[in-house]
Amino acid sequence: MTATSPAAVSTAGAEVLAQRRNRALAKFMGNPAALFGATLVLVFVVLAVFASWIAPYEPNKTNFIMLRKAPSAMHWLGTDEIGRDILSRLIHGGIASLYAGVVSVFIALFVGMPIGLVAGWFGGWLDAIISRATDALLAVPFLILAIALAAALGPSLTNAMIAIGLSQVPIFVRLTRGQVLAVKTEDFVEGARAVGVPNSLILLRHITPNIFAPIVVQATLTVATAIIAEASLSFLGLGQQPPAPSWGSMLNTAKNYMDSAPWMSISPGIAIVLVVLGFNLLGDGLRDALDPREQ
Amino acid sequence: MKTYVARRLLALVPTLFFASLIVFVTVRLIPGDVIDLMLSQNDVSASKLTRDQLVAALGLDRPMWEQYGRWMGGILFRGDFGQSLWQSVPVSELLLARMPVTLELGLLALIVALIVAIPIGVYSAIRQDTTGDYIARSFSILMLAVPSFWTGTMVMVFPSIWWGWSPEVRFVPFTENPIQNLKQMILPAIILGTALSAVSMRLTRTMMLEVLRQDYIRTAWAKGLSERLVVARHALRNALIPVVTLIGVQAPLLIGGAVIMEQIFVIPGMGLLLLDAVYQRDYPIITGVFLVVGVAIMLLNLVIDLSYGLLDPRVRYR
C-alpha cells in the first residue's frame, strides 16, 4: 500500500469540491424562484447600502405641516405622526433589518459551529453535555428567549442582534454536530487521521469544507427568521430605539395611528415580507443546488 | 412501552436541569437592578423599607447558587415558583391563571394550521405540477414570509376602516362565556395558525408525494379502489407521521407567536404576563414562564413520540 501524504489528500478533496461547486452553480442559475429570491435580496442590499443617496428625504427630519399625510407625489408612501417621509424611513430601516439579520446569524454561526464541531468530533461526555444543553435551549421558544435576552441586555439594536444570534445558536450546534457525525466516518477523514493530521487541522481543513453546504443553506434561511425576529423585538419596543428607523418599530408606532393613518402600517410590513421571501427563496434554491442527493 | 416512557422521562431530567440553569442565570443578568426600579418608582412596599432591607426581603443578597437552590427546591418540593417582586402574589397563582388562556390560543391555532395545511398539502401532492399545486405552493412560500404581528395589525386596521368593525379587546374567559371568548380568540388563532400552516403544508405535500410512489399504493390503484380511498386510507395515514413530529418542532414557534398575538389583541395569557414581567424586571415571573413553557414543550414532544404507535402499528417502543 502506498502512503498518502496529507497534501495529496487535500488536493484530491479540493478537486472534488471545485467540481461540486460548478454543478451547484449551474443548478442554481437554472432555478427561476432562486434567482428571483437572489434578486429581491440584492435590491434590498443595494437600497440599504446606498440609502443616503436613494432616500428622497432625511429619515429623521420632521415636518410639522405634513403630519400623517396620505401617499402623494411628494411623499410616495405618505408621512408619519411627526411628518417624516415614510419611504425614506423605510429605505433607512432596511439597513437595521439586513444588518440585524446578517450579524445575528454570524453570531449564531461563530458560537454554534465550533461547539457542534467539538461535540460531533470528540463525542463522549462532552457531546452528552452539549446535546442536553442544546435540547434545553431548543425547548424554550426562540422568540421568548430573544425577548428575555433583549430585556436582559437592555433594549437596543445591537443587543437585539446579540439576543437573536444567541437564541439561534442551538440550531447551528445541532446541525453541525449531525453533519460531523455523518462525515467523520468517511474514508478521507479516516485517511487524514491515519497519517497523523492533528484534530484541529482535520476539523478545519477536512470536516468544515465538507459540512459547509447545509450550514450555508441554514444560515440563509436563518437570516430570514432573524429579520422577522428583529422586527418582532422592535415591534415590542425591545429592538431599534426611536428615532432611528426600523421596520418593526415603524409598525409599532403605526399601530397607534391605525384609524387616522393606516398607510403607516402597510409599507413596513410589505418590506419585511419581500426581504424575508427573498432570503427564503434564496435559501431553498441553495439547498436544491447544494444537496448531494439532488445531483 | 412502560420502560420506554420511564426512560424518556428520566432523560428529561438533565435537559430540564440545564433549561432551569440557563433561564435562571440569564434572567439575573438583567441590568438595572429591580431594587433601583422599585425605589425610583416609589413603590408603596419599597418606600417603607431601606434598600438593604428590600434586597434581603427579596432574597437577592444571597449567592446566586443559593438563590438557585432555594428556587429549584421550592418548585420541586412545594410547587412554589416564588413571589412576584411587584405584586406580592405567588408566581404559581399567576401562571395557573394565565396558562389556560395561552393553551387555548395555541390549541386553536394548531387546529387552524392543520385544517389549512393537510387538505391543501394533500391536494397539492395528488395534483402535482398543476395550476392548483403551484398556487398552493406559492401561498405557502408567501405565508412563511408574512410576519404574524403584521397580519395582526392589518386585521386591527382595515376591517375597522372598511366596515367599522374592530375586534373585541375586553377579554372574557372561556368558562364565563364560551361563545364570546371564542369570538375573541378565533382571529388571533387564524392569523397564528395560517402562518404556521406553511411549513406543515410543504411537509404534507413532500411526504404524500413520497408515499404515493410506493408499491402498496400502486397495488391499491390496481385493485380498482377509488382515489378517495387510496388517498385517505392508504397514503395519508403513512404520510402524516412526520407531520405530527413537525407539530412538536413547531410548538415553540406557536408559543412565541402567541406572545405577540396576546400583545396585539390584549389577551391576558402567559405571553402578556412575560412581557409585563420583562418590562418590570420581575425575575420570578420570567423564570416561571420560561420553565413552564420549556417543560410543556418537552412533554408535548414525548406525547408525540408515543403517538407514533397509534398512527403506525409498525412502530415498537423498546
Side-chain angles (χ1 to χ4, degrees):
Chain A
M1 195 178 120
T2 13
T4 321
S5 72
V9 173
S10 50
T11 322
E15 265 172 38
V16 175
L17 277 180
Q19 266 177 6
R20 256 192 236 164
R21 205 172 298 145
N22 290 341
R23 255 183 310 195
L25 189 67
K27 191 138 193 240
F28 185 82
M29 296 309 279
N31 181 346
L35 287 178
F36 176 63
T39 315
L40 271 180
V41 170
L42 192 68
V43 167
F44 277 97
V45 169
V46 169
L47 281 177
V49 171
F50 300 103
S52 312
W53 288 281
I54 297 171
Y57 298 87
E58 261 289 299
N60 293 330
K61 194 168 167 265
T62 53
N63 181 351
F64 288 99
I65 47 169
M66 290 296 283
L67 301 185
R68 298 199 301 274
K69 290 285 180 247
S72 63
M74 220 171 126
H75 297 279
W76 290 3
L77 299 177
T79 62
D80 69 4
E81 79 286 4
I82 44 176
R84 294 173 298 194
D85 180 53
I86 291 181
L87 177 62
S88 306
R89 288 184 68 70
L90 202 67
I91 294 173
H92 280 270
I95 303 175
S97 289
L98 287 177
Y99 191 55
V102 174
V103 173
S104 52
V105 169
F106 270 106
I107 294 174
L109 211 58
F110 280 114
V111 179
M113 233 177 108
I115 300 178
L117 280 171
V118 167
W121 182 253
F122 293 104
W125 59 269
L126 198 61
D127 179 31
I129 292 180
I130 292 174
S131 297
R132 286 291 88 73
T134 312
D135 287 349
L137 279 171
L138 280 173
V140 179
F142 145 71
L143 192 63
I144 290 190
L145 192 61
I147 288 173
L149 280 171
L153 299 164
S156 78
L157 183 64
T158 314
N159 291 343
M161 288 190 291
I162 298 174
I164 296 166
L166 290 180
S167 52
Q168 300 279 17
V169 165
I171 298 175
F172 286 95
V173 173
R174 191 175 266 190
L175 180 66
T176 310
R177 177 183 171 274
Q179 292 296 320
V180 173
L181 288 181
V183 173
K184 103 184 196 190
T185 51
E186 297 272 343
D187 289 344
F188 66 90
V189 178
E190 297 281 345
R193 219 199 290 214
V195 294
V197 181
N199 279 332
S200 53
L201 260 187
I202 297 182
L203 283 175
L204 210 65
R205 221 185 265 166
H206 300 283
I207 305 256
T208 308
N210 280 290
I211 61 169
F212 219 61
I215 290 173
V216 168
V217 172
Q218 184 60 46
T220 315
L221 295 170
T222 310
V223 171
T225 323
I227 288 175
I228 293 199
E230 185 276 326
S232 308
L233 287 181
S234 295
F235 181 76
L236 296 171
L238 295 168
Q240 180 80 298
Q241 296 300 301
S246 123
W247 297 338
S249 55
M250 285 170 79
L251 281 172
N252 186 21
T253 317
K255 76 176 194 292
N256 303 324
Y257 301 95
M258 288 189 299
D259 295 334
S260 55
W263 55 87
M264 280 173 66
S265 50
I266 298 173
S267 45
I270 293 178
I272 298 173
V273 172
L274 289 178
V275 78
V276 171
L277 184 68
F279 275 105
N280 278 337
L281 290 175
L282 180 63
D284 281 351
L286 285 176
R287 174 165 44 207
D288 292 347
L290 295 172
D291 189 349
R293 280 173 307 179
E294 301 264 333
Q295 289 169 6
Chain B
M1 174 89 176
K2 262 184 203 154
T3 16
Y4 176 79
V5 176
R7 228 183 38 230
R8 282 292 306 265
L9 284 174
L10 214 62
L12 279 185
V13 176
T15 312
L16 278 173
F17 168 71
F18 276 110
S20 67
L21 206 61
I22 292 164
V23 164
F24 191 83
V25 174
T26 309
V27 168
R28 267 151 188 79
L29 289 176
I30 295 182
D33 214 309
V34 67
I35 307 290
D36 291 334
L37 198 69
M38 281 180 147
L39 290 171
S40 71
Q41 298 201 348
N42 236 345
D43 185 72
V44 187
S45 60
S47 58
K48 288 182 197 146
L49 299 163
T50 66
R51 193 189 158 78
D52 291 344
Q53 280 173 313
L54 200 58
V55 169
L58 297 173
L60 297 174
D61 57 338
R62 304 210 173 78
M64 206 186 272
W65 62 265
E66 197 187 324
Q67 289 185 38
Y68 175 79
R70 280 167 176 269
W71 176 66
M72 216 47 227
I75 293 173
L76 288 176
F77 302 114
R78 299 188 302 276
D80 175 14
F81 285 79
Q83 291 256 326
S84 156
L85 297 185
W86 289 85
Q87 306 175 38
S88 317
V89 183
V91 173
S92 50
E93 209 171 276
L94 291 169
L95 287 173
L96 276 177
R98 303 293 192 99
M99 211 181 325
V101 180
T102 303
L103 272 181
E104 186 194 346
L105 180 59
L107 197 66
L108 285 173
L110 185 63
I111 294 171
V112 171
L114 294 179
I115 289 178
V116 174
I118 293 177
I120 300 184
V122 169
Y123 175 84
S124 207
I126 54 179
R127 299 281 180 271
Q128 191 187 5
D129 294 332
T130 60
T131 321
D133 178 30
Y134 287 128
I135 293 174
R137 281 160 68 191
S138 311
F139 172 73
S140 83
I141 290 174
L142 191 68
M143 284 321 289
L144 272 181
V146 180
S148 47
F149 68 88
W150 183 54
T151 329
T153 317
M154 292 288 102
V155 168
M156 298 290 263
V157 180
F158 289 98
S160 106
I161 294 174
W162 291 332
W163 308 300
W165 175 89
S166 48
E168 182 68 53
V169 285
R170 199 185 62 83
F171 182 75
V172 182
F174 186 81
T175 42
E176 206 173 282
N177 185 346
I179 304 217
Q180 182 63 29
N181 170 278
L182 284 176
K183 262 191 192 167
Q184 194 183 5
M185 295 289 245
I186 197 68
L187 214 49
I190 289 176
I191 294 168
L192 205 54
T194 348
L196 279 177
S197 68
V199 182
S200 323
M201 195 192 297
R202 287 169 72 158
L203 187 65
T204 309
R205 178 179 179 276
T206 313
M207 290 320 297
M208 276 301 282
L209 283 176
E210 206 153 283
V211 171
L212 286 172
R213 290 192 195 114
Q214 303 278 326
D215 286 343
Y216 67 88
I217 297 293
R218 203 172 307 144
T219 313
W221 283 120
K223 278 198 304 190
L225 293 183
S226 69
E227 185 179 39
R228 240 183 74 180
L229 267 182
V230 175
V231 170
R233 195 180 293 169
H234 295 266
L236 188 58
R237 197 164 156 175
N238 287 296
L240 275 189
I241 298 175
V243 180
V244 175
T245 313
L246 187 72
I247 295 172
V249 178
Q250 282 197 317
L253 287 179
L254 199 67
I255 305 282
V259 174
I260 299 221
M261 284 300 117
E262 286 176 13
Q263 156 92 356
I264 295 176
F265 289 89
V266 204
I267 297 169
M270 296 224 288
L272 216 51
L273 180 70
L274 174 75
L275 279 177
D276 289 342
V278 161
Y279 295 133
Q280 295 184 316
R281 301 187 181 89
D282 203 331
Y283 308 139
I285 296 187
I286 303 178
T287 39
V289 171
F290 257 64
L291 207 61
V292 167
V293 168
V295 171
I297 288 172
M298 287 179 208
L299 288 178
L300 176 72
N301 278 304
L302 177 61
V303 172
I304 284 172
D305 282 358
L306 295 177
S307 75
Y308 296 153
L310 291 175
L311 284 167
D312 186 348
R314 289 169 303 184
V315 174
R316 292 277 172 276
Y317 300 100
R318 276 190 212 103

